[in-house]
Amino acid sequence: MSFPADLPTDVATLQALLRAAEERASERDARLAERDAVIERKEERIVRLEKLVADFKRAMFGSKSEKADPDQYQLALEDIETAIATVHAEDEAIDPPKAQPRKRDANRGALPKHLPRVEEIITPESTTCDCGCDRHVIGEDTSERLDIIPAQFRVIVTRRPKYACRSCESGIVQAPAVSRLIESGLPTEATVASVIVAKFADHLPLYRQAQIYARQGVDLDRSTLAAWVGKAAYELAPVYDALIADLKRSTKLFMDETTAPVLDPGKGKVKKGYFWALARDDRPWNGDDPPGVAFTYAPGRSGKHAVDILKGFDGILQVDGYTGYNRVIDPKRQANIRLAYCWAHARRKLFELTKNSAAPIAQEGLRQITSLYRVEAQIRSLPASQRLAVRQDKSAPMVADFKTWLEQARAQVSAKSPTGEALKYIAKYWDGLILFLTDGRIEMDNNTVERTIRPIAIGRKNSLFAGHEAGAQNWAVLASLCETCKLNGMEPHGYLTQTLTAIVNGHRQSQINELLPWNYVQTV
């Protein structure tokens, strides 16, 4: 240790210098210990975040069955993202970040313009200058935050005064009562619309809605809510019929079916019914017709139900490989329907083979199908004529190569092996699989309609089953209107409120098409 040459000779002064040096050393050690603690905490945080990020990647990109419910992965991602945010919040609470230069408001204008704005102005405690003059506004900083007010109930009180003349006895005058969806009942049309959207768009069963209302002191029995929904379904049935009729005037539709467990009151058991979905989405080829979907309940999966639903339709029907659809192309029927099959289902057959083994044949098939999908990604949203031209130029040679590969692969494996069965499936539906090469309106797969029936599956999971076949058809009516609203970017609550109000006010049946979801004009 070195000492300065000019150290004082006074003992007391030397002791004071030593004490000061000890204090500085102690402060330095404390700072070092605090820094080490921060480093240790941040290293621990890095380890936690790295694990969460790894979990996130596995949930997002890891191998998973293509048959698994996508919502399961959404739930996983939600929890992981929440955990990551918690780690950041813990770290910032202990070690607040240093103040950064104020950035430009990135969220300004991002919130929807139709939302009401409540302005609050924050002013300094005093605007008087040091010189005694008043300061003037020369500019301002503006920020927007999203605020949510919990659902509130209010009571609409309707008064109808009675008027009489004091000079004569000509009679009493009173305005007529306003028509209501539920005569002499409690709800407005907006209230009924809210119940419908909560159940059929947000998948909240009626008994849970009743529990939510009870927390705010509004005691409504589940059966009461069910009565409101049933009345609305009856009044909206003509709109639903018009929706189906409009879809069947198209020349290109999708169709699929999903199970609908229904309670059998006579036996006290649940039997299996089906929701059949008929969908239109011409947006991928810039078609003029708006997208829509109509569900129909049927007690079984027989192809005769598809025949009944499709009465009056002529054109291309895009489906999966279910053999029941063969009945719609029966030569005895007058309809001229062509079936386009789904490459995603063909791909799925090969994908299943690669889950537990190398399966080189299946992997090669997957590679070739992926190349076809790359072409589809390039032509999405182009007019049908341009899509067809690109397919003829790029996809047709790929399909020809795939056909050659398919024949050679089938010759290499047993027809009864898993690989042979998958290849047999593709060969069986080949004519329908390659139909997309002849028409730019046809998609490569049936995913469009499969996306529309996903909400049905969620609602089925939350509600367990429909209580009756008639109730299942009401479900189909209301879910059709809600999902068609979503497809068209319409807000279903506003649409249903406006539509129910128009119906109870005597909207003409001859003008029922005006009430279809894509004709709804949202008002502020």
Side-chain angles (χ1 to χ4, degrees):
M1 176 180 289
S2 61
F3 297 95
D6 58 345
L7 278 175
T9 57
D10 182 63
V11 174
T13 303
L14 285 173
Q15 290 177 340
L17 288 174
L18 287 173
R19 284 195 297 269
E22 289 176 354
E23 290 176 359
R24 287 195 298 271
S26 177
E27 290 175 358
R28 184 178 65 252
D29 292 343
R31 287 196 301 271
L32 289 174
E34 182 179 356
R35 187 185 65 181
D36 291 343
V38 170
I39 293 173
E40 183 179 356
R41 186 174 65 251
K42 288 188 178 294
E43 288 178 345
E44 179 186 358
R45 173 193 173 203
I46 290 171
V47 171
R48 292 169 62 189
L49 287 174
E50 286 177 342
K51 182 180 184 305
L52 289 169
V53 169
D55 293 339
F56 185 96
K57 289 180 178 179
R58 277 197 298 272
M60 194 72 178
F61 308 110
S63 175
K64 52 183 178 283
S65 170
E66 294 191 343
K67 291 186 177 180
D69 187 349
D71 294 307
Q72 294 179 356
Y73 299 102
Q74 294 298 327
L75 291 173
L77 296 181
E78 288 175 9
D79 290 339
I80 293 170
E81 290 165 336
T82 301
I84 290 175
T86 301
V87 173
H88 286 300
E90 289 177 358
D91 188 71
E92 290 177 1
I94 299 173
D95 186 19
K98 296 181 180 179
Q100 298 291 330
R102 192 176 188 279
K103 297 181 181 179
R104 180 181 63 86
D105 291 328
N107 70 331
R108 186 177 300 171
L111 296 175
K113 293 182 179 180
H114 72 271
L115 295 180
R117 260 61 176 178
V118 178
E119 292 194 357
E120 57 178 11
I121 300 176
I122 304 175
T123 59
E125 293 183 0
S126 174
T127 58
T128 303
C129 182
D130 294 340
C131 69
C133 297
D134 290 334
R135 290 186 171 95
H136 297 281
V137 176
I138 61 172
E140 65 179 8
D141 291 330
T142 304
S143 64
E144 291 189 348
R145 296 187 300 161
L146 182 64
D147 188 36
I148 297 178
I149 302 174
Q152 294 180 350
F153 293 89
R154 65 178 183 177
V155 178
I156 304 297
V157 179
T158 302
R159 302 185 187 276
R160 294 187 297 128
K162 298 179 181 180
Y163 297 87
C165 180
R166 295 181 183 274
S167 301
C168 65
E169 298 180 358
S170 61
I172 299 174
V173 177
Q174 184 182 34
V178 178
S179 299
R180 299 178 178 180
L181 178 66
I182 310 296
E183 290 296 338
S184 303
L186 292 175
T188 63
E189 286 67 46
T191 300
V192 177
S194 178
V195 175
I196 292 172
V197 171
K199 177 172 173 60
F200 298 101
D202 300 327
H203 323 299
L204 193 65
L206 296 181
Y207 79 91
R208 293 185 185 173
Q209 294 188 50
Q211 292 172 349
I212 293 172
Y213 300 158
R215 288 203 296 269
Q216 297 202 38
V218 180
D219 292 322
L220 291 171
D221 192 76
R222 176 199 48 77
S223 60
T224 301
L225 301 181
W228 297 352
V229 172
K231 174 66 172 175
Y234 169 78
E235 297 292 351
L236 291 168
V239 184
Y240 165 80
D241 293 337
L243 172 61
I244 292 182
D246 191 275
L247 293 178
K248 289 196 288 188
R249 281 194 288 269
S250 304
T251 57
K252 163 72 172 60
L253 292 174
F254 298 86
M255 198 170 196
D256 200 1
E257 75 290 333
T258 186
T259 57
V262 175
L263 186 64
D264 188 345
K267 298 181 180 179
K269 297 180 179 179
V270 173
K271 59 183 179 181
K272 183 183 291 187
Y274 285 85
F275 282 123
W276 294 74
L278 192 64
R280 174 180 67 204
D281 192 346
D282 298 344
R283 291 173 294 182
W285 51 275
N286 277 332
D288 295 328
D289 291 331
V293 60
F295 303 104
T296 302
Y297 172 77
R301 200 189 181 198
S302 169
K304 70 181 182 66
H305 299 300
V307 172
D308 293 340
I309 294 169
L310 290 168
K311 284 180 180 177
F313 170 71
D314 286 325
I316 298 168
L317 186 68
Q318 191 132 23
V319 296
D320 57 23
Y322 173 49
T323 56
Y325 291 112
N326 291 336
R327 295 187 64 162
V328 306
I329 56 174
D330 189 330
K332 297 178 181 178
R333 298 186 67 241
Q334 298 298 320
N336 179 24
I337 296 178
R338 289 186 297 164
L339 295 183
Y341 288 113
C342 176
W343 278 90
H345 281 76
R347 180 185 181 280
R348 195 170 297 163
K349 296 289 184 180
L350 299 175
F351 176 83
E352 292 296 323
L353 299 173
T354 65
K355 288 169 57 177
N356 300 318
S357 60
I361 291 179
Q363 289 176 346
E364 173 59 22
L366 288 175
R367 185 192 66 78
Q368 295 192 41
I369 294 175
T370 299
S371 298
L372 288 173
Y373 270 103
R374 289 198 185 101
V375 176
E376 292 301 302
Q378 297 170 7
I379 62 176
R380 184 160 297 277
S381 299
L382 293 180
S385 58
Q386 295 183 30
R387 284 158 59 96
L388 180 59
V390 174
R391 286 171 175 173
Q392 288 292 320
D393 180 49
K394 296 183 178 181
S395 300
M398 294 181 186
V399 171
D401 292 341
F402 187 89
K403 176 67 171 176
T404 301
W405 167 83
L406 179 64
E407 293 172 349
Q408 295 174 351
R410 293 189 69 189
Q412 297 175 20
V413 298
S414 169
K416 295 184 179 180
S417 66
T419 301
E421 291 288 345
L423 299 178
K424 178 181 177 181
Y425 174 92
I426 299 174
K428 178 181 178 181
Y429 295 104
W430 184 253
D431 291 341
L433 286 171
I434 64 173
L435 200 59
F436 80 104
L437 296 175
T438 65
D439 193 325
R441 299 171 302 165
I442 301 176
E443 292 293 287
M444 266 191 66
D445 54 45
N446 208 32
N447 290 347
T448 296
V449 68
E450 289 194 351
R451 285 192 294 269
T452 66
I453 64 176
R454 187 176 299 166
I456 290 288
I458 299 173
R460 180 181 62 212
K461 180 172 62 177
N462 289 349
S463 297
L464 300 182
F465 51 79
H468 192 275
E469 288 188 346
Q473 182 54 32
N474 289 337
W475 188 339
V477 169
L478 299 172
S480 298
L481 297 178
C482 287
E483 291 307 314
T484 299
C485 279
K486 293 180 184 179
L487 287 173
N488 287 274
M490 301 298 181
E491 195 278 299
H493 180 270
Y495 163 74
L496 289 171
T497 300
Q498 189 178 96
T499 301
L500 289 172
T501 301
I503 289 173
V504 299
N505 287 326
H507 188 89
R508 294 181 181 180
Q509 182 70 26
S510 60
Q511 300 173 345
I512 197 69
N513 284 346
E514 295 177 358
L515 300 182
L516 290 171
W518 47 77
N519 292 326
Y520 165 62
V521 178
Q522 183 171 321
T523 57
V524 179

